[in-house]
Amino acid sequence: MLVACSQPIKVEVPELVEGPTLALSQIDTLMWRQPDSALKVMMEFAGSEAADGMDAFEGHYCQVLVAELLFKNDYGQSNREDVLKAVHYFDSIVNVADGRNADARGKADACGASLQRDAFLAARAHYINGAGYYERDSLIEACGEYLNAFRMMEDHFAENELVGKKARFMALTYNRLVELFSAQYMQESAIYCGKQSLAYDKKAQSSSEKIANTYYFIGKQYDKLQLVDSASYYYDMALELMPDRNNMIYRDIVSSRALFKFLYHGDTIAALDSLKSMAEQASNEAERINRCMTIGYIYYLMGQYDSAKALGSIVVEKDSVRGKHVANYLHTIAKEEGDTVRANQYALILAEVGATAANNQARASQLNDMFQQHLQWEQEKVEAKRRQVEQLAARQRLVRGVVTAVVVLLVLGVGLWWWMAKRKKEQQLQTQVNDALQQLQTVDDALQQLQTQADDALQQARAMLPQRVADLYRAKVPNRLERIMAEFEAAYPQALEKLATAYPDLSETERQIAVLNFLHFRAKEEADLLGLSDNTVNKYRSNLRKKTENASFSSFLD
C-alpha cells in the first residue's frame, strides 16, 4: 500500500551533448548524485555512435568511470584489466604535465586546469584499483593504491582546494582505509583515518547518515582499545546524528553500544533488550545471525551456557566466517561439559583461526610500515613547506638589508665625492655631513620608536590574551582550539617551539593542554575544546606533569 500510494521517484537523466568527453563529463557529474541513474546512462552511451569516436584519453576516462559506477552500484569490477591500464595512463600524462618530461613543460604551464583534471582522474583510478584489490583480499596492494590516491591529490591540490567532490573523494578513501585497518586490528591507524574522513565529510557537507557511520566506526576502534570514555562519546555522537532509525547502520550502532554497555557498565537487561529488539528488526538472514552472535556472547559471559550454545550453533551452521568468532566460547563450554566430540570440532576451527591470525599479524605489520611511511611523507611535505616559508622570509630580510646598505653607501659616496670636489668648502661639506648624520639619527630614532611600539603591542596582546581566549571559548566559534592556540602564539612567539625542544617526548595534545593550563582553563573546558572526555584530559595532564617534572611553563614565555 505504501509503495502504491507513494509518488514515483524522478530520475535525473541529462540530455547528452555531442562529443565523448562532454558526455562522459555529464555522466561523471550525475554519478556523484545518483550512481544508479548514471550507470543506466553510461550503458546507453556505450552503445551510441558518440562512443565510437573516443580517443585514448576518453577511453581510459570511460573505463575508470565504468569501474566507479559498478563499484557504487554493488557490481563486481568486470573491467579490471582496463582499469589497470587507465591507472598507468593517467599517471604517465600527469608525470609529463608535471614537467618531469622537459619537452612537455611549456604545454603543462598552458594547461593548468587540464593538469588538475588529469591528477584527479589518476587519483580516482588508484582508488578504484585499490577497491578491486581489496575485493580480492590483496590488502597490501589495496592499501598502496589508496595511499597513492592521497599522494596524487596532495601533490596537485592545496588544502583549500580539497572541497566539493574532491573532499568527498578524500573522505571515501579514508573510509576505505578505516575498514581495511579495522579488519587487521590496527586501531590507532583506523582512528587516525576516521578522524581525517570526518574532517573531509564536514568540508564536503556530507549527509548526516554518512557522518554518523564514520563516528560509529571510530567508536568501535576505541571500544576495541578499551578506551571507554572515547568509545562512549563516539557511539553517542553516531546515534545523535543518525537521521533515520529504520536501517542497518542504526541497528549496528545500537547493537555495538549495547554490548559496550554490558561489558563496561554491567547493564545486562538493557543490553539484551536492545539486542533482541534489533534482531527482530533484522532485514536479512546475515544481519539476524550477526545479532545472534552478539547475544550468544553475552549469554556466555553471564554463564547461561544453554542459551549461548543454542545461538552459537546457529551462527556456526549458517555462517562459517562469523562461526569462527563464536568457536572460542563454544569450545570452552564443550570442554567444561565434557563433550569431547564438539570440543574437537571447535578446536579445528580455532586452529584454522590461529593460522589465519598469524598471517594477518604479518600482513598488519607490513601495512603499518607502509602507513607510517606515508605519514612520514606527509610530515616531510609539511616541513618542506615550512622551510620554504622561512627561506622566503630570509630572502625578504636579505633584500631589505641590501637595499639599506646600498642607500647608505650611496649617501656616503655622494658625500665623499662632494668633499673631494669642494675642498675649499670644508665647512659647507661638514654641514652637509652633519645633516646626513642627523637624518640617519632620525631614521634610527624612528626604528627605535617602531621597536618600542612593537614591544608595546606585544605586551598589550599578552595583557588581552586571557580575555580574548575566554571570549573565543564562550562564543562557540568554529575551530576554537586552533584560534586560541594562534592567539597564544601571537602573544608568546616561539614559546611552543622552545617547549618542544626542551621536552621532545610531549605529544601535540600535551602541548595544547600545557597552553590551556597556562591560560587557566579547567579540565572540563579543555575536554570540550579537545573533543575528549574529562578522564582522558586528566590523564593527559598527569602525563604532562610527569614528562616535564612539574616544570613551570613560564620559563618558555620570554
Side-chain angles (χ1 to χ4, degrees):
M1 289 177 64
L2 287 172
V3 171
C5 296
S6 299
Q7 292 293 329
I9 298 174
K10 184 177 180 181
V11 177
E12 180 185 354
V13 180
E15 181 179 349
L16 299 180
V17 179
E18 290 298 325
T21 302
L22 289 174
L24 289 171
S25 178
Q26 290 173 311
I27 298 171
D28 195 348
T29 300
L30 179 61
M31 179 190 69
W32 294 90
R33 302 192 306 272
Q34 294 175 295
D36 52 347
S37 301
L39 181 59
K40 179 181 177 183
V41 177
M42 173 58 82
M43 294 301 99
E44 294 175 355
F45 168 75
S48 67
E49 294 182 1
D52 297 334
M54 290 192 293
D55 58 19
F57 173 85
E58 293 158 352
H60 289 295
Y61 183 10
C62 182
Q63 291 302 333
V64 171
L65 195 53
V66 168
E68 285 187 286
L69 288 168
L70 291 172
F71 176 65
K72 290 187 176 182
N73 287 277
D74 295 326
Y75 294 108
Q77 200 178 89
S78 57
N79 62 337
R80 175 151 182 75
E81 295 300 323
D82 291 319
V83 173
L84 289 172
K85 293 178 183 177
V87 170
H88 297 301
Y89 175 81
F90 285 121
D91 278 352
S92 65
I93 63 174
V94 170
N95 291 344
V96 168
D98 270 340
R100 296 169 196 170
N101 183 328
D103 296 334
R105 288 177 185 170
K107 183 179 178 181
D109 292 338
C111 302
S114 297
L115 173 58
Q116 288 199 340
R117 176 202 62 188
D118 298 340
F120 191 27
L121 286 173
R124 288 163 62 181
H126 280 293
Y127 169 79
I128 202 66
N129 195 34
Y133 278 126
Y134 189 82
E135 289 175 353
R136 290 158 178 78
D137 201 33
S138 300
L139 302 189
I140 304 298
E141 292 81 357
C143 182
E145 289 297 280
Y146 296 145
L147 297 179
N148 281 334
F150 284 137
R151 293 194 178 197
M152 188 65 67
M153 295 297 288
E154 293 171 6
D155 274 341
H156 294 89
F157 299 98
E159 186 64 31
N160 60 358
E161 295 176 317
L162 295 177
V163 296
K165 294 178 183 178
K166 298 178 183 65
R168 288 181 62 189
F169 173 77
M170 296 292 284
L172 287 171
T173 310
Y174 272 117
N175 269 335
R176 296 291 295 181
L177 283 176
V178 170
E179 181 180 351
L180 188 153
F181 290 146
S182 176
Q184 299 303 309
Y185 300 98
M186 297 169 59
Q187 271 65 56
E188 290 84 358
S189 299
I191 289 170
Y192 173 85
C193 292
K195 291 183 177 180
Q196 292 292 102
S197 177
L198 274 180
Y200 282 112
D201 270 331
K202 292 174 182 177
K203 288 180 67 173
Q205 297 181 341
S206 300
S207 66
S208 297
E209 182 175 333
K210 187 176 186 305
I211 295 176
N213 193 36
T214 305
Y215 269 106
Y216 167 55
F217 265 95
I218 297 175
K220 285 181 67 176
Q221 310 317 309
Y222 279 120
D223 194 348
K224 292 175 183 178
L225 292 173
Q226 298 182 357
L227 296 175
V228 179
D229 291 340
S230 297
S232 180
Y233 167 78
Y234 280 95
Y235 280 149
D236 290 344
M237 287 297 297
L239 284 177
E240 180 180 335
L241 291 171
M242 179 60 66
D244 179 16
R245 302 199 168 190
N246 187 24
N247 58 65
M248 188 182 298
I249 296 176
Y250 172 75
R251 294 192 291 273
D252 284 342
I253 297 172
V254 171
S255 299
S256 295
R257 189 168 177 269
L259 179 59
F260 170 80
K261 293 287 187 182
F262 168 79
L263 292 175
Y264 298 107
H265 302 290
D267 199 350
T268 306
I269 297 176
L272 287 174
D273 287 345
S274 295
L275 286 165
K276 290 176 181 178
S277 175
M278 295 302 100
E280 291 172 358
Q281 299 175 39
S283 59
N284 53 54
E285 183 68 10
E287 183 183 354
R288 190 178 72 85
I289 291 172
N290 197 29
R291 309 295 177 232
C292 288
M293 180 176 69
T294 306
I295 297 171
Y297 181 59
I298 290 178
Y299 278 134
Y300 164 71
L301 294 177
M302 293 170 60
Q304 298 184 18
Y305 288 168
D306 290 339
S307 299
K309 283 194 303 181
L311 292 170
S313 299
I314 293 174
V315 176
V316 172
E317 178 184 352
K318 299 285 187 179
D319 191 325
S320 60
V321 176
R322 290 184 174 88
K324 295 175 182 179
H325 294 288
V326 301
N328 189 32
Y329 77 73
L330 290 177
H331 177 260
T332 302
I333 294 173
K335 284 180 62 178
E336 290 187 8
E337 294 179 346
D339 190 344
T340 307
V341 175
R342 290 192 178 277
N344 290 335
Q345 290 175 348
Y346 297 133
L348 291 175
I349 297 175
L350 291 175
E352 181 183 347
V353 172
T356 304
N359 293 332
N360 287 346
Q361 186 175 6
R363 187 161 57 181
S365 176
Q366 190 172 350
L367 286 169
N368 184 63
D369 291 342
M370 183 182 298
F371 188 61
Q372 292 304 319
Q373 289 173 4
H374 175 73
L375 294 180
Q376 183 178 358
W377 173 81
E378 287 189 334
Q379 184 61 34
E380 288 172 354
K381 278 197 66 177
V382 172
E383 287 296 318
K385 186 175 182 180
R386 183 185 62 80
R387 287 194 298 270
Q388 185 179 8
V389 172
E390 291 178 350
Q391 289 171 359
L392 178 60
R395 284 197 296 269
Q396 291 174 340
R397 290 193 297 269
L398 178 62
V399 169
R400 287 195 295 268
V402 168
V403 170
T404 302
V406 169
V407 170
V408 171
L409 288 174
L410 284 174
V411 171
L412 293 176
V414 169
L416 181 60
W417 173 82
W418 189 262
W419 182 79
M420 292 293 294
K422 303 290 182 180
R423 287 179 180 271
K424 296 180 181 180
K425 298 182 180 180
E426 291 183 1
Q427 187 64 38
Q428 182 181 0
L429 177 60
Q430 185 64 43
T431 302
Q432 292 175 348
V433 171
N434 290 339
D435 291 343
L437 291 174
Q438 183 63 38
Q439 291 176 359
L440 290 175
Q441 183 62 43
T442 302
V443 171
D444 185 61
D445 292 341
L447 290 175
Q448 290 293 335
Q449 184 177 1
L450 287 175
Q451 181 63 46
T452 302
Q453 291 174 354
D455 292 339
D456 292 343
L458 188 60
Q459 291 300 323
Q460 185 178 3
R462 291 177 179 178
M464 295 175 64
L465 179 62
Q467 184 61 43
R468 289 184 64 83
V469 299
D471 291 341
L472 283 173
Y473 178 78
R474 289 193 298 270
K476 300 291 185 180
V477 295
N479 302 322
R480 289 183 297 167
L481 178 59
E482 289 81 358
R483 294 179 65 175
I484 288 172
M485 295 298 292
E487 291 285 349
F488 173 82
E489 290 181 0
Y492 296 98
Q494 300 183 337
L496 285 175
E497 183 178 341
K498 292 180 180 179
L499 178 63
T501 302
Y503 302 102
D505 292 338
L506 291 181
S507 66
E508 181 180 0
T509 302
E510 288 167 343
R511 292 195 295 271
Q512 291 171 339
I513 286 178
V515 172
L516 294 175
N517 286 345
F518 172 74
L519 296 175
H520 305 298
F521 279 89
R522 298 191 300 274
K524 186 174 187 65
E525 294 170 337
E526 292 175 0
D528 180 31
L529 286 169
L530 293 166
L532 302 172
S533 67
D534 294 352
N535 290 341
T536 303
V537 167
N538 287 329
K539 184 176 179 182
Y540 273 119
R541 283 185 160 194
S542 176
N543 290 340
L544 177 64
R545 289 193 295 271
K546 290 178 182 177
K547 291 180 180 180
T548 61
E549 298 178 348
N550 290 321
S552 173
F553 188 52
S554 301
S555 60
F556 301 95
L557 304 182
D558 181 47

